Amino acid sequence: MTALQARHATLAAALWPSQGRLAEMNGLLRASLLAVAGSLFLWLCAKIQVPFYPVPLTMTTFGILAIGMAFGWRLGAATVLLYLAEGAMGLPVFAGTPEKGIGLAYMAGPTGGYLLGYVLAAAACGWLAERGWDRNVATAALAMLVGNVVLYVPGLLWLGVLFGWDKPILEWGLIPFITGDLLKLALVALSLPLAWKLLSRLR
């Protein structure tokens, strides 16, 4: 672990440290700006759709996991909650909006459990990142896997509640997305340790 990594729990804190007599005020400003920027990043990720098999690949989970790891569990979860609040207010921030509906009606639909999972996944990945799991590829990948599991559990449970457990819930809500999620997992797991190394060299 480099001296930079030892001083800062998260990548965001290393990129934008709060120092000096106004550290608390600067920290609040930093957190607010990062949360807004992160919510806009998630909005962008939700609108990116890559042709893929068996279903098109969206980048929302990539954004959720990356923000959780980079921001830490508190700010990561708060950023996702802000993103969900924007969606609840009717902004078309989610994948498939406004075509499939907006606001609370959309959030109570089949994707509702996954939206809750976004918050839990960001918090879980952020908690692990604060303990150094984003410093190398192996532990970063494991943290991403944990985040994916935490994300899918409420998503699948909500699908079962809505449609009944006699339906092929796993075939609807998990199996088609596994390959794409593994690719996104690998992308985040490779990117974060590289970002730490580049930042350490620059500093």
Side-chain angles (χ1 to χ4, degrees):
M1 181 180 294
T2 67
L4 180 71
Q5 293 171 339
R7 288 198 308 271
H8 301 287
T10 65
L11 185 61
L15 286 167
W16 190 353
S18 293
Q19 298 175 341
R21 290 178 296 176
L22 299 178
E24 184 174 347
M25 183 180 298
N26 290 338
L28 180 60
L29 175 62
R30 179 191 66 181
S32 299
L33 292 176
L34 286 175
V36 171
S39 71
L40 295 176
F41 175 67
L42 291 175
W43 188 342
L44 175 63
C45 287
K47 300 304 179 180
I48 296 175
Q49 191 172 89
V50 181
F52 198 70
Y53 178 85
V55 293
L57 185 68
T58 63
M59 297 301 289
T60 309
T61 54
F62 167 85
I64 294 292
L65 300 177
I67 282 176
M69 292 289 278
F71 284 9
W73 80 267
R74 292 180 183 83
L75 182 54
T79 299
V80 178
L81 286 171
L82 175 60
Y83 172 66
L84 297 184
E86 292 166 354
M89 290 187 294
L91 295 175
V93 299
F94 304 126
T97 57
E99 297 83 5
K100 297 180 180 179
I102 56 174
L104 294 176
Y106 175 90
M107 297 177 74
T111 60
Y114 297 102
L115 298 180
L116 171 61
Y118 288 168
V119 182
L120 301 177
C125 287
W127 189 85
L128 293 172
E130 289 176 0
R131 283 147 185 81
W133 286 47
D134 61 339
R135 269 55 166 187
N136 68 73
V137 173
T139 54
L142 185 56
M144 297 296 101
L145 183 60
V146 170
N148 270 286
V149 171
V150 170
L151 191 157
Y152 272 103
V153 168
L156 294 172
L157 289 175
W158 183 241
L159 285 179
V161 170
L162 281 182
F163 299 107
W165 293 104
D166 58 323
K167 300 296 192 298
I169 298 301
L170 294 181
E171 293 180 15
W172 290 354
L174 174 63
I175 294 173
F177 306 102
I178 290 177
T179 303
D181 282 343
L182 288 175
L183 289 175
K184 288 181 278 187
L185 182 155
L187 181 59
V188 179
L190 291 170
S191 299
L192 288 170
L194 178 61
W196 274 112
K197 290 180 181 178
L198 291 174
L199 186 59
S200 296
R201 290 177 182 176
L202 291 173
R203 296 292 175 87

